[in-house]
Amino acid sequence: MNSDMTPSSHLSGPIEVEQKFVPGPDIEDRLYGLGAELLEEITFQDSYYDSTDLHLTLCDMWLRKRGDRWELKLPPQRGTRNLKGSSTQYLELSCENEIIHRVSEELGVPCPLTIEALELKKFASFVTRRRRFQLPHEDGSSAKAVVDLDETDFDFAIGEVEVLVNTQEEVQSALEKVEDVCKQLGVLKDSPVQGKVSTFLQRNCTDHYQQLLQANIL
Ligand code: V4E
């Protein structure tokens, strides 16, 4: 293993295994048909940040401010990009100190006291209205699946089946769980579905979007 392939497991965040899907008009009926329960309905603003040379996103690292809270999504193994496929897995960090450390390390700059001091530039900002559903917990399955139905203020809708796990060893069963829920909802696809940020970039930041496509990130 070279030094760029060290696991990011010392970073303390859950691994999010998810599959996006295009929600059809009957998606809520299907969810309730499976015994799902509406957990919450929330609205939040996400602003995404990168250096001017797009270093972070070209490494598949996604730094955002959701409301007042900083979050970083990155591939679970350093030096590996997330595999392109129908489902994705990302480590999610929400501890500000860990985020500052990881981002400054990636950018090759001294670790500052605040994220703001990195003087990154905002490249996307939008509001999401989210309806989150909890699926019934099945006997014998440790993973809990949730389904998010998102609508943005740029007229885009997307669904996500999501399972959170704490270790890389649990990822395989989470992938199976996500696939199983997608099958039950009738939304299983072989190819990835474009998410909110990708769509925002495609519509508003064509150059950034093209660079990510060329780098095989999107
Ligand atoms: C990871 C990523 C991006 C960051 C946004 O991630 P996403 O899961 O779309 O956001 P959201 O709001 O649903 O987050 P949650 O509330 O669940 O934490 S933008 C692009 N990526 C990479 C990526 C990819 N390569 N392929 C697919 C299918 N999705 C995302």
Side-chain angles (χ1 to χ4, degrees):
M1 185 187 283
N2 72 37
S3 59
D4 279 349
M5 289 281 288
T6 50
S8 297
S9 52
H10 60 284
L11 296 169
S12 58
I15 300 171
E16 175 196 70
V17 178
E18 70 166 38
Q19 169 129 18
K20 293 182 170 43
F21 62 87
V22 178
D26 60 348
I27 187 65
E28 290 199 18
D29 290 345
R30 286 178 183 240
L31 279 163
Y32 289 123
L34 293 179
E37 182 189 331
L38 179 63
L39 269 187
E40 59 179 358
E41 224 173 323
I42 50 172
T43 300
F44 52 86
Q45 174 144 28
D46 284 327
S47 297
Y48 283 83
Y49 291 81
D50 202 342
S51 54
T52 44
D53 62 356
L54 310 179
H55 187 109
L56 297 179
T57 51
L58 287 170
C59 292
D60 207 10
M61 287 175 64
W62 303 88
L63 175 66
R64 73 182 172 208
K65 199 166 190 183
R66 174 165 288 180
D68 298 334
R69 195 176 149 94
W70 286 99
E71 298 176 338
L72 180 67
K73 287 201 189 204
L74 69 165
Q77 298 239 307
R78 196 177 291 187
T80 62
R81 275 191 314 89
N82 217 311
L83 291 177
K84 281 183 97 167
S86 58
S87 57
T88 57
Q89 35 172 308
Y90 282 90
L91 189 62
E92 286 194 339
L93 302 185
S94 51
C95 166
E96 206 164 317
N97 283 338
E98 273 187 326
I99 294 174
I100 296 172
H101 188 263
R102 188 65 190 87
V103 168
S104 54
E105 183 183 52
E106 188 61 45
L107 296 175
V109 298
C111 194
L113 287 176
T114 63
I115 297 181
E116 286 79 3
L118 287 165
E119 296 189 339
L120 300 171
K121 100 178 160 158
K122 193 191 288 186
F123 64 83
S125 192
F126 50 85
V127 175
T128 299
R129 176 177 166 264
R130 168 168 291 176
R131 286 162 62 74
R132 168 161 285 195
F133 294 84
Q134 172 83 64
L135 285 159
H137 194 232
E138 284 165 19
D139 290 343
S141 156
S142 55
K144 278 188 186 171
V146 295
V147 176
D148 290 336
L149 299 181
D150 287 355
E151 286 171 6
T152 70
D153 61 354
F154 58 94
D155 206 20
F156 178 71
I158 186 84
E160 268 179 23
V161 177
E162 180 181 302
V163 171
L164 293 181
V165 292
N166 292 315
T167 63
Q168 197 61 46
E169 291 67 43
E170 296 167 285
V171 166
Q172 188 52 39
S173 69
L175 283 165
E176 285 162 16
K177 176 82 185 174
V178 166
E179 186 176 326
D180 184 47
V181 172
C182 286
K183 266 192 204 150
Q184 291 185 56
L185 287 172
V187 296
L188 194 62
K189 290 279 175 299
D190 290 334
S191 50
V193 171
Q194 188 148 285
K196 300 188 290 284
V197 182
S198 310
T199 306
F200 183 94
L201 291 173
Q202 186 179 28
R203 293 185 190 176
N204 303 291
C205 317
T206 324
D207 185 51
H208 190 169
Y209 180 72
Q210 286 303 330
Q211 288 193 53
L212 291 169
L213 282 186
Q214 274 163 22
N216 229 13
I217 300 292
L218 297 179

